């Protein structure tokens, strides 16, 4: 018979009693390696068998170590990712590896750190004293440890601690770290960390940073509330009073400043307009507008808080970068178009065209171009000049800041606001047709009036605003997450660690407290936080000082803003809109260079649907498409067909060698399939069809209309490399059992290679699922579970001879 080339890890020799998954001692042959290869199968390359003109899918993981290397030592099992530093044997409580303990030698046990391991029970062992002698001094020692009852504090602690806390407690005791309830409380309340470690040397930087941020962004809050959210301007200032204060107590990013954002404010304005369109009130009903603002902020805060409690911090990775860039750019376009109407002094004409104020951006542009001859000249000059001055200062600061960091302290926007207010007062612009801010007061005429956002008689408004609140929560959390990750590092307090779940709790609590005073939704902003950090803000105290400065503004400085021109506020918003749009060309160029057409299509769809229809529709389409993409990627099996590199025992994904098929060979009669991911209900729906395609064509990229390219004889043995299957749920296990059963009914031999934990690890969840489902019995017992693909190939040869 023709001989088959096959490199073995062990020398040829007679069969012995070692199981196939155990490395044989030096000089001893492997159990299932015959004395001489029988040559039942020939190894062949793709070019000698068949060739495919279709491109292979380059998916799955790139783990190339499916089989052993040719020069692997056979003296004993080599350390791998499953080799523990300290392994514990079952049955006698003995420890192996670095230390050895036997029940007869208590001194070894005492030398182990943290031994014996503690578990939360109603009673605990007092190992410090043993009954070595009876009370009367007669009789043998009992040798039993005394038990003492736990105090009520310990019992309460054992009830509220989680499994992770119990594990942490064991680790702390083993390493000599004091484990106290205050340690966990400080983790969830960061204020307990930074307040204790705060130094007066931080105060100067925090105060200057807070003063700078207040000078730049407090006027912005007035503009966001008045021009975008269509609520009283003071509601925007409330967001800088309550939200930064609460976040300073709970937030895990010391340098981040929370406040109202353009996107969230625009969405609040959308909810206000929707309430008016549904007949809940009129355009001038300030009480209704403030009420809607509080309800939206309250529901957004409650959603974010609930997500944090449910540990859903991973959701910041659900929305793709193209979706966010497309949606944020669309928001920038919508804001820019909206602000053109007050900047050109056309507000008085909007009342005569009721559909314009609540229409799409295209309708507003049509209105603007149709009424350019009616613009108010002085208003347009004030708005244009303010916009140009702010943009020029912004560019100068951007270019000079690397060499002269002090320019970051210049509050250019605050200076523009003060100068414009003085000029409007001195030249009486309000009498010449320029709209001014006027009296800034709450809709109820009571500053800081508490109002519970979820009142029974507001259920209709809550139902109307539910979708908008969800979008604000989703967008706000993602923006805050990006800002927090960008700002983290070099923190002054080592005890504060960034956590997405705690960020959700902090942002939710901050918005909920602010909603009780009808403030705008507020989340972390990268630009605002970057200014805070660049001007000396290192601790959450800068957020507290910002809250106090805003409170001082509300109580004492609002009368001086009476003559602030509204075109200046609109120009401030237009600068924000420009910053939202300016990064879009860079991303478009990048995706064009990558030829990433799906990403470009997603961006275009969101942008066009938002501009031509509405912001809500654009967001809904974007979220829907992103979720479909996530589901598609999650449900697609990433199985691979493996081939051997000639002359070695290395096995690689065959789809990586489509351009050079001669570099890979396949073993006759064997199909080696690698499953590089956990098997769940999500990704096993198409597993059968994908496997069938591999059997017929050797690739997943072949069209099903092609005739069969691989013969039935090529699939007499199926070897599953399941090293990447770190977990399986019930549905995935059921599908795998059906696949194995189908193969066995067709007379195909099935082998499993590199099961996580190995068959000897009875604690492996994957092994338990295979054993309970009957897969182990179906394939022929534990002997069909081997340590690598090479051993599986030897097993197929032995069983083929039989």
């Amino acid at each position: 018979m023709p001989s088959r080339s096959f490199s073995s890890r062990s020398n040829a020799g007679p069969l012995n009693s070692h199981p196939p998954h155990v490395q044989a001692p030096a000089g001893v042959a492997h159990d299932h390696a015959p004395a001489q290869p029988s040559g039942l199968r020939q190894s062949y390359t793709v070019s000698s068998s068949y060739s495919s003109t279709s491109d292979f899918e380059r998916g799955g993981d790139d783990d190339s170590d499916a089989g052993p290397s040719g020069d692997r030592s056979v003296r004993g099992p080599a350390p791998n990712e499953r080799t523990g530093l300290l392994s514990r044997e079952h049955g006698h409580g003995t420890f192996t590896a670095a230390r050895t303990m036997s029940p007869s030698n208590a001194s070894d046990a005492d030398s182990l750190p943290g031994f014996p391991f503690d578990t939360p029970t109603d009673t605990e062992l007092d190992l410090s004293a043993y009954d070595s002698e009876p009370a009367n001094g007669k009789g043998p020692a009992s040798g039993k440890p005394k038990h003492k009852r736990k105090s009520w504090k310990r019992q309460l602690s054992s009830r509220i601690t989680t499994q992770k806390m119990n594990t942490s407690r064991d680790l702390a005791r083993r390493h000599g770290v004091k484990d106290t309830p205050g340690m966990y409380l400080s983790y969830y309340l960061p204020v307990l960390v930074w307040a204790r470690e705060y130094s007066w040397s931080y105060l100067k930087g925090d105060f200057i940073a807070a003063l700078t941020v207040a000078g730049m962004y407090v006027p912005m809050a007035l503009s966001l509330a008045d021009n975008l959210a269509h609520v009283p301007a003071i509601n925007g200032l409330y967001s800088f009073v309550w939200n930064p204060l609460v976040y300073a107590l709970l937030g895990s990013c010391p340098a981040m400043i929370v406040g109202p954002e353009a996107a969230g404010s625009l969405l609040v304005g959308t909810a206000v307009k929707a309430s008016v369109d549904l007949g809940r009130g009129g355009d001038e009903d300030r009480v209704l507008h403030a009420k809607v603002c509080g309800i939206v902020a309250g529901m957004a805060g409650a959603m974010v808080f609930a997500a944090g409690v449910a540990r859903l911090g991973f959701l910041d990775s659900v929305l793709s970068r193209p979706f966010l860039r497309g949606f944020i750019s669309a928001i920038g376009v919508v804001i820019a178009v909206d602000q053109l109407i007050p900047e050109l002094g056309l507000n008085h004409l909007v009342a005569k065209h009721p559909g314009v104020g609540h229409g799409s951006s295209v309708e507003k542009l049509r209105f603007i171009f149709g009424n350019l001859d009616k613009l108010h000249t002085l208003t347009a000059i004030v708005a244009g000049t303010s916009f140009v001055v702010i943009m020029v200062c912004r560019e100068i600061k951007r270019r000079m800041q690397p060499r002269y960091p002090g320019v970051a302290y210049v509050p250019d926007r605050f200076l523009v606001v003060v100068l414009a207010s003085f000029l409007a007062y001195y030249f009486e612009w309000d009498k010449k047709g320029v709209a001014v801010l006027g009296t800034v007061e709450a809709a109820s005429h009571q500053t800081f009036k508490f109002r519970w956002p979820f009142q029974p008689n507001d259920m209709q408004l809550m139902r109307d605003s539910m979708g908008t609140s969800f979008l604000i929560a989703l967008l706000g959390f993602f923006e805050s997450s990006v800002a927090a990750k960008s700002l983290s590092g070099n923190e002054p307090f080592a005890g504060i660690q960034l956590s997405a779940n705690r960020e959700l709790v902090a942002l939710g609590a901050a918005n909920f407290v602010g909603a009780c005073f009808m403030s705008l939704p507020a989340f972390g902003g990268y630009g605002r936080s970057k200014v805070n950090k660049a001007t000396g803000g290192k601790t959450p105290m800068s957020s507290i000082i910002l809250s106090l400065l805003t409170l001082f503004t509300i109580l004492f400085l609002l009368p001086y803003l009476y003559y602030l021109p509204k075109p200046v506020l609109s120009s401030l918003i237009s600068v924000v809109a420009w910053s939202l749009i300016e990064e879009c060309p860079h991303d478009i160029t990048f995706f064009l260079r990558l030829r990433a057409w799906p990403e470009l299509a997603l961006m275009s769809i969101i942008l066009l649907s938002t501009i031509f229809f509405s912001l809500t529709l654009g967001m809904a389409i974007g979220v829907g498409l992103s979720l479909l993409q996530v589901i598609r990627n999650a449900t697609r099996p990433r199985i691979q067909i493996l081939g051997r590199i000639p002359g070695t025992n290395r096995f690689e994904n065959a789809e990586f060698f489509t351009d050079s098929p001669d570099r890979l060979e396949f073993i006759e009669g064997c199909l080696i399939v690698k499953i590089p991911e956990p098997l769940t209900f999500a990704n096993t729906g198409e597993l059968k069809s994908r496997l069938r395609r591999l059997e017929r064509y050797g690739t997943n990229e072949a069209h099903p209309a092609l005739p069969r390219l691989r013969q039935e004889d090529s699939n007499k043995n199926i070897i599953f490399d399941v090293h990447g299957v770190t977990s399986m749920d019930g549905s995935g296990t059921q599908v795998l059992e059906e696949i194995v059963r189908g193969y066995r009914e067709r007379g195909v031999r099935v082998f499993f290679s590199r099961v996580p934990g190995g068959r000897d690890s009875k604690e492996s969840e994957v092994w338990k699922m295979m054993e309970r489902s009957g897969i182990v019995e179906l394939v022929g017992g534990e002997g069909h579970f081997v340590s690598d693909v090479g051993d599986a190939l030897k097993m197929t040869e032995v069983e083929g001879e039989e």
Side-chain angles (χ1 to χ4, degrees), residues 737-802:
E737 189 271 343
E738 293 172 357
I739 291 172
V740 172
R741 184 179 297 277
Y743 280 135
R744 296 300 294 144
E745 290 174 353
R746 289 159 47 191
V748 177
R749 292 184 289 268
V750 180
F751 302 87
F752 284 90
S753 165
R754 302 200 300 169
V755 176
R759 76 180 190 186
D760 288 339
S761 177
K762 302 304 182 181
E763 298 302 320
S764 169
E765 290 298 325
V766 175
W767 174 261
K768 287 180 180 178
M769 296 294 281
M770 287 188 174
E771 197 172 32
R772 294 168 185 167
S773 63
I775 294 177
V776 176
E777 182 180 354
L778 273 175
V779 300
E782 296 184 7
H784 281 235
F785 289 79
V786 294
S787 60
D788 55 44
V789 176
D791 288 344
L793 289 173
K794 295 172 187 177
M795 289 280 294
T796 62
E797 184 176 272
V798 171
E799 294 193 4
E801 288 181 335
E802 297 174 356

Side-chain angles (χ1 to χ4, degrees), residues 288-338:
L288 172 68
H289 299 176
K291 187 187 300 184
V292 171
C293 179
I295 291 173
V296 169
M299 288 195 297
M303 292 176 185
V304 173
F305 186 87
V309 173
R311 305 182 64 81
L312 300 181
F314 62 90
L315 289 178
D316 64 342
S317 303
V318 171
L319 300 180
S320 64
R321 178 69 177 270
F323 161 76
L324 290 167
R325 178 52 55 204
F327 184 68
I328 290 174
S329 300
I331 287 178
V333 173
V334 171
I335 291 174
V337 173
D338 282 352

Side-chain angles (χ1 to χ4, degrees), residues 158-475:
S158 66
R159 297 295 188 272
I160 65 175
T161 53
T162 63
Q163 181 62 37
K164 185 174 290 187
M165 287 183 179
N166 291 331
T167 304
S168 301
R169 178 182 300 165
D170 293 338
L171 288 171
R173 292 185 179 180
R174 271 185 275 172
H175 292 275
V177 178
K178 188 176 181 180
D179 181 88
T180 61
M183 179 176 66
Y184 300 102
L185 187 62
S186 298
Y187 178 81
Y188 293 104
L189 290 176
V191 64
L192 300 179
V193 176
W194 67 262
R196 183 173 59 250
E197 300 178 11
Y198 191 81
S199 172
W200 287 106
S201 60
Y202 297 141
L203 185 59
K204 179 182 178 182
D206 290 338
F207 180 79
I208 294 176
L211 188 62
T212 305
V213 172
M216 296 177 64
Y217 289 97
V218 166
M220 182 70 67
L222 293 169
S223 184
L224 292 173
D226 187 68
N227 288 5
L228 290 185
H230 306 292
V231 298
I234 197 171
N235 293 73
L237 296 181
Y238 289 161
S239 300
F240 273 133
V241 174
W242 301 109
N243 299 63
L245 178 63
V246 176
Y247 182 83
L249 304 178
L250 302 176
S252 61
C253 183
M256 192 159 73
I257 301 291
V258 298
E261 295 291 333
S265 301
L266 184 63
L267 288 170
V268 171
T270 303
V272 170
K273 291 179 180 179
S275 299
V276 174
D277 292 339
L278 293 173
R280 316 295 183 203
D283 285 328
E284 303 300 326
D285 191 348
R286 291 161 52 88
V287 175
L288 172 68
H289 299 176
K291 187 187 300 184
V292 171
C293 179
I295 291 173
V296 169
M299 288 195 297
M303 292 176 185
V304 173
F305 186 87
V309 173
R311 305 182 64 81
L312 300 181
F314 62 90
L315 289 178
D316 64 342
S317 303
V318 171
L319 300 180
S320 64
R321 178 69 177 270
F323 161 76
L324 290 167
R325 178 52 55 204
F327 184 68
I328 290 174
S329 300
I331 287 178
V333 173
V334 171
I335 291 174
V337 173
D338 282 352
Q339 297 313 300
L340 282 176
I341 295 177
E343 287 174 345
L344 298 177
L346 299 176
N347 273 338
H348 63 285
L349 297 177
V350 174
K352 301 178 182 179
H353 301 79
V356 174
H358 299 182
S360 65
S361 297
V362 174
E363 295 173 345
K364 292 176 181 178
L365 285 174
R366 188 183 298 116
F367 168 79
I368 290 171
F369 286 113
N371 294 277
L372 280 178
D373 56 330
K374 301 176 184 177
L375 65 84
H376 190 265
T377 305
L378 182 57
T379 299
I381 292 174
V382 171
T385 304
S386 301
F387 178 80
V388 171
V389 169
I390 295 173
M391 289 297 295
V392 170
C393 292
R394 179 173 173 263
E395 186 66 20
I396 291 175
K397 290 172 70 173
R398 186 182 67 83
R399 296 190 178 189
M400 294 181 62
Q401 192 166 350
R403 296 184 59 186
Y404 305 100
V407 298
Y409 296 92
V410 179
D412 50 336
R413 300 177 190 181
F414 178 73
L415 295 177
V416 169
V417 167
V418 172
L419 181 60
S421 301
F422 174 75
L423 293 176
Y425 166 76
Y426 187 80
F427 292 105
E428 297 182 340
W429 285 350
D430 57 320
K431 297 181 180 179
K432 298 178 181 179
V434 177
V436 295
L437 185 60
T439 303
V440 180
E441 61 180 1
S444 61
H445 305 290
Q446 298 180 22
T447 306
F448 297 117
K449 180 181 178 180
F450 181 88
R451 185 184 185 279
W452 182 252
F454 305 138
Q455 297 188 9
N457 55 357
D458 292 334
M459 288 300 298
Q460 190 62 49
L461 292 176
M462 293 169 61
R463 283 193 291 267
D464 296 341
S465 306
M466 183 68 71
T468 302
S469 302
F470 174 75
L471 298 181
I472 291 174
L474 193 64
L475 193 63

